[in-house]
Amino acid sequence: MTMLDVQAAAQWELGKLVHELDMQNNARMRERVAKLGLTPAHASALCELTGPMTMRELAGLMACEPSNATVVIDKLEAMRLIERRPHPTDRRAKQLTLTPEGAQRRADLLELLNEEPFVTGLTRQEQDILRDLLQRAISRAESPRAEGVRKQTAPTSTTH
């Protein structure tokens, strides 16, 4: 094998490992959020909706197009978890807010997500390092999705 072969094989393996981790994470996420009658997209919206915000702002946090977020929000609104209210300064926009039931479902969701880590087999410190490396890789990517992924600081006292 040439050096080029070795490097290409290493890149291919890294891609496969990231993909496999993503597949495992998605399966765990689907299983957990289904306990609350949610899909991963619903859970994403509820996790990201930390206060009143526009659809465009929420879509950015969810790393999706506003039209895709609209489908999710329509369903959450039908479930009476989110409501659209007039924006206080922009007559053309609506703000999304959690209903009392939505706030409770969000709290239940956060508790459920913290029960056990999604990435198993790693210490808390290793998970923090992996998260930091993935955030760095994503932020350096020349991809439209990279703009939607926000850098988060490591929690200090909660477990994942």
Side-chain angles (χ1 to χ4, degrees):
M1 277 180 103
T2 68
M3 182 59 111
L4 187 60
D5 291 336
V6 171
Q7 290 172 342
Q11 289 297 314
W12 184 256
E13 182 182 19
L14 178 60
K16 285 182 6 182
L17 290 170
V18 169
H19 177 71
E20 179 61 30
L21 182 60
D22 183 50
M23 298 285 288
Q24 290 177 8
N25 185 55
N26 284 334
R28 286 186 195 103
M29 174 72 79
R30 278 191 306 277
E31 182 180 311
R32 285 189 197 173
V33 302
K35 294 175 184 176
L36 297 174
L38 302 171
T39 67
H42 298 148
S44 175
L46 289 176
C47 282
E48 299 294 356
L49 194 59
T50 57
M53 65 182 68
T54 65
M55 185 73 72
R56 185 169 299 285
E57 291 167 331
L58 181 60
L61 295 174
M62 292 173 64
C64 69
E65 293 295 322
S67 59
N68 293 338
T70 298
V71 173
V72 173
I73 295 307
D74 287 347
K75 179 66 174 174
L76 291 173
E77 190 174 35
M79 295 168 70
R80 300 182 194 270
L81 300 177
I82 288 180
E83 40 185 38
R84 291 174 169 102
R85 295 186 176 165
H87 192 282
T89 60
D90 184 351
R91 293 185 320 182
R92 300 166 297 166
K94 297 283 186 187
Q95 275 192 327
L96 305 172
T97 60
L98 292 172
T99 63
E101 185 179 343
Q104 182 58 56
R105 186 78 59 97
R106 183 180 188 277
D108 294 344
L109 174 62
L110 296 178
E111 187 175 313
L112 181 71
L113 295 177
N114 277 317
E115 284 181 359
E116 62 183 82
F118 281 102
V119 180
T120 58
L122 298 179
T123 66
R124 172 57 190 238
Q125 182 180 11
E126 290 168 332
Q127 289 178 44
D128 290 345
I129 291 168
L130 177 60
R131 187 195 64 242
D132 292 345
L133 290 170
L134 291 171
Q135 285 176 337
R136 189 179 335 154
I138 289 168
S139 70
R140 290 181 181 172
E142 294 181 5
S143 156
R145 288 188 51 92
E147 294 174 18
V149 178
R150 65 190 166 135
K151 183 141 177 114
Q152 299 173 352
T153 58
T156 54
S157 62
T158 59
T159 58
H160 287 265

